[in-house]
Amino acid sequence: MGNTVSCCMSPGGSPKLSRQPDLVEDYQVNTDLSEDTGPYLQHISDREVPDDLALESNPSDHARASTIFLSKSQTDVRDKRKSNHINHFSPGPLSKKYSSCSTIFIDDSTVSQPNLKSTIKCVTLAIYYHIKNRDSDRSLDIFDEKIHPLSRDHVPDDYSRTDPEHKVIYRFVRTLFSAAQLTAECAIVTLVYLERLLTYAELDVCPCNWKRMVLGAILLASKVWDDQAVWNVDYCQILKDITVEDMNEMERHFLELLQFNINVPASVYAKYYFDLRSLADDNNLSFPLEPLSNERAQRLEAISRLCEDKYRDLTKVCMRRSLSADNLQSFRRSQAVLS
């Protein structure tokens, strides 16, 4: 392989046979390739993206890279904490519930089954920080609401300069999820696709394009994640003034900009989930806590026992134990019967 001449490529046949120096010339490999010698075939290691660059440019593909929305929100979180410290602002009474000896509060929101309302609030808050702390106003005509309006209402002239509030984004996303009966996991995948679009296509979430970009991410996430996908015509029934042709064109452009990469690894999904929880803690959006009841405790105990049994059985199968002197058994020879 590479610049080494193997026995199959040797002009003299097998390397074990003696060669005659007058008939066989030395085989030399020229490693200096220039443009004059023909096209240079790049090695696969040269075409691969370095790990540092890949982690920095594709946070939606790598679990170790920090999410974009969490980094954009840190600026406002630091300013808010600094302002509270300078002005000696008291946060007021504690709204978070804490467990005691008599009552235990648990959070029903997990990675596999997140809380729908709280997840949508966190996802829309992440979109809000994308718009508020955007680097520039890079966009495409396919996502421009002025060129492709979602309703027949008049689009104001300052639509591209006025940032929407968090409650406006939340109301828009909640309406789509409620009408299409989408799950909380679909909201997390929507955010993954949105940040992947920003990274691959080098775009920004702006006041002029956030609705269509979010709609395209929801449309794609509902088809990829949910077992019963929502058709484009179903979204046309939710948004009365949009056509199926417009939805199809937007979906086609969205997929092309994503380079048809719709895979979401489990590690990336878990990273976005926990980063959304961190975003909720920084902005006092706590997930609902419920007191632990007897029925819930018995159910958790049953699930824990089931997981322990599966882990114990898997350990027995996978682990190989060496024979010891205690387990050795000598072969017993049957006595011969002489007649």
PDB file of all heavy atoms in Angstrom, residues 94-100 103-105 289:
ATOM      1  N   LEU A  94     -38.554  31.766  46.786  1.00  0.00           N
ATOM      2  CA  LEU A  94     -38.133  30.641  45.963  1.00  0.00           C
ATOM      3  C   LEU A  94     -39.350  29.945  45.381  1.00  0.00           C
ATOM      4  O   LEU A  94     -40.290  29.588  46.100  1.00  0.00           O
ATOM      5  CB  LEU A  94     -37.307  29.653  46.801  1.00  0.00           C
ATOM      6  CG  LEU A  94     -35.980  30.196  47.363  1.00  0.00           C
ATOM      7  CD1 LEU A  94     -35.316  29.146  48.238  1.00  0.00           C
ATOM      8  CD2 LEU A  94     -35.058  30.619  46.234  1.00  0.00           C
ATOM      9  N   SER A  95     -39.360  29.793  44.073  1.00  0.00           N
ATOM     10  CA  SER A  95     -40.465  29.122  43.396  1.00  0.00           C
ATOM     11  C   SER A  95     -40.192  27.649  43.166  1.00  0.00           C
ATOM     12  O   SER A  95     -41.102  26.898  42.829  1.00  0.00           O
ATOM     13  CB  SER A  95     -40.750  29.800  42.041  1.00  0.00           C
ATOM     14  OG  SER A  95     -39.598  29.771  41.224  1.00  0.00           O
ATOM     15  N   LYS A  96     -38.941  27.217  43.331  1.00  0.00           N
ATOM     16  CA  LYS A  96     -38.594  25.828  43.107  1.00  0.00           C
ATOM     17  C   LYS A  96     -38.926  25.000  44.335  1.00  0.00           C
ATOM     18  O   LYS A  96     -38.698  25.432  45.471  1.00  0.00           O
ATOM     19  CB  LYS A  96     -37.095  25.706  42.775  1.00  0.00           C
ATOM     20  CG  LYS A  96     -36.679  24.309  42.380  1.00  0.00           C
ATOM     21  CD  LYS A  96     -35.219  24.289  41.990  1.00  0.00           C
ATOM     22  CE  LYS A  96     -34.790  22.884  41.564  1.00  0.00           C
ATOM     23  NZ  LYS A  96     -33.358  22.852  41.179  1.00  0.00           N
ATOM     24  N   LYS A  97     -39.457  23.811  44.094  1.00  0.00           N
ATOM     25  CA  LYS A  97     -39.837  22.926  45.177  1.00  0.00           C
ATOM     26  C   LYS A  97     -38.652  22.037  45.533  1.00  0.00           C
ATOM     27  O   LYS A  97     -37.918  21.574  44.675  1.00  0.00           O
ATOM     28  CB  LYS A  97     -41.027  22.063  44.767  1.00  0.00           C
ATOM     29  CG  LYS A  97     -42.278  22.868  44.419  1.00  0.00           C
ATOM     30  CD  LYS A  97     -43.400  21.955  43.978  1.00  0.00           C
ATOM     31  CE  LYS A  97     -44.639  22.754  43.593  1.00  0.00           C
ATOM     32  NZ  LYS A  97     -45.743  21.865  43.148  1.00  0.00           N
ATOM     33  N   TYR A  98     -38.501  21.812  46.840  1.00  0.00           N
ATOM     34  CA  TYR A  98     -37.418  20.985  47.327  1.00  0.00           C
ATOM     35  C   TYR A  98     -37.993  19.837  48.140  1.00  0.00           C
ATOM     36  O   TYR A  98     -39.014  19.975  48.815  1.00  0.00           O
ATOM     37  CB  TYR A  98     -36.436  21.793  48.176  1.00  0.00           C
ATOM     38  CG  TYR A  98     -35.657  22.820  47.389  1.00  0.00           C
ATOM     39  CD1 TYR A  98     -36.142  24.127  47.255  1.00  0.00           C
ATOM     40  CD2 TYR A  98     -34.462  22.501  46.775  1.00  0.00           C
ATOM     41  CE1 TYR A  98     -35.439  25.071  46.525  1.00  0.00           C
ATOM     42  CE2 TYR A  98     -33.751  23.440  46.045  1.00  0.00           C
ATOM     43  CZ  TYR A  98     -34.243  24.716  45.922  1.00  0.00           C
ATOM     44  OH  TYR A  98     -33.550  25.654  45.193  1.00  0.00           O
ATOM     45  N   SER A  99     -37.315  18.705  48.068  1.00  0.00           N
ATOM     46  CA  SER A  99     -37.778  17.525  48.783  1.00  0.00           C
ATOM     47  C   SER A  99     -37.506  17.656  50.273  1.00  0.00           C
ATOM     48  O   SER A  99     -36.581  18.351  50.710  1.00  0.00           O
ATOM     49  CB  SER A  99     -37.082  16.276  48.230  1.00  0.00           C
ATOM     50  OG  SER A  99     -37.349  16.127  46.847  1.00  0.00           O
ATOM     51  N   SER A 100     -38.315  17.004  51.053  1.00  0.00           N
ATOM     52  CA  SER A 100     -38.165  16.980  52.507  1.00  0.00           C
ATOM     53  C   SER A 100     -38.298  15.542  52.993  1.00  0.00           C
ATOM     54  O   SER A 100     -38.417  14.606  52.193  1.00  0.00           O
ATOM     55  CB  SER A 100     -39.210  17.881  53.172  1.00  0.00           C
ATOM     56  OG  SER A 100     -40.513  17.416  52.881  1.00  0.00           O
ATOM     57  N   THR A 103     -42.041  14.573  52.065  1.00  0.00           N
ATOM     58  CA  THR A 103     -42.466  14.693  50.673  1.00  0.00           C
ATOM     59  C   THR A 103     -41.246  14.700  49.769  1.00  0.00           C
ATOM     60  O   THR A 103     -40.267  15.399  50.043  1.00  0.00           O
ATOM     61  CB  THR A 103     -43.280  15.979  50.444  1.00  0.00           C
ATOM     62  OG1 THR A 103     -44.352  16.021  51.383  1.00  0.00           O
ATOM     63  CG2 THR A 103     -43.842  16.013  49.034  1.00  0.00           C
ATOM     64  N   ILE A 104     -41.337  13.923  48.713  1.00  0.00           N
ATOM     65  CA  ILE A 104     -40.265  13.858  47.717  1.00  0.00           C
ATOM     66  C   ILE A 104     -40.840  14.313  46.388  1.00  0.00           C
ATOM     67  O   ILE A 104     -41.853  13.774  45.920  1.00  0.00           O
ATOM     68  CB  ILE A 104     -39.699  12.436  47.598  1.00  0.00           C
ATOM     69  CG1 ILE A 104     -39.094  11.990  48.935  1.00  0.00           C
ATOM     70  CG2 ILE A 104     -38.649  12.365  46.502  1.00  0.00           C
ATOM     71  CD1 ILE A 104     -38.556  10.571  48.907  1.00  0.00           C
ATOM     72  N   PHE A 105     -40.207  15.301  45.780  1.00  0.00           N
ATOM     73  CA  PHE A 105     -40.641  15.819  44.479  1.00  0.00           C
ATOM     74  C   PHE A 105     -39.735  15.230  43.395  1.00  0.00           C
ATOM     75  O   PHE A 105     -38.507  15.199  43.547  1.00  0.00           O
ATOM     76  CB  PHE A 105     -40.576  17.340  44.442  1.00  0.00           C
ATOM     77  CG  PHE A 105     -41.558  18.014  45.359  1.00  0.00           C
ATOM     78  CD1 PHE A 105     -41.175  18.435  46.623  1.00  0.00           C
ATOM     79  CD2 PHE A 105     -42.873  18.214  44.965  1.00  0.00           C
ATOM     80  CE1 PHE A 105     -42.077  19.056  47.461  1.00  0.00           C
ATOM     81  CE2 PHE A 105     -43.783  18.826  45.792  1.00  0.00           C
ATOM     82  CZ  PHE A 105     -43.393  19.249  47.050  1.00  0.00           C
ATOM     83  N   LEU A 289     -42.464  19.837  38.844  1.00  0.00           N
ATOM     84  CA  LEU A 289     -42.150  18.809  39.820  1.00  0.00           C
ATOM     85  C   LEU A 289     -43.437  18.280  40.429  1.00  0.00           C
ATOM     86  O   LEU A 289     -44.321  19.063  40.800  1.00  0.00           O
ATOM     87  CB  LEU A 289     -41.221  19.347  40.906  1.00  0.00           C
ATOM     88  CG  LEU A 289     -39.843  19.840  40.453  1.00  0.00           C
ATOM     89  CD1 LEU A 289     -39.079  20.435  41.621  1.00  0.00           C
ATOM     90  CD2 LEU A 289     -39.053  18.705  39.835  1.00  0.00           C
TER      91      LEU A 289
END
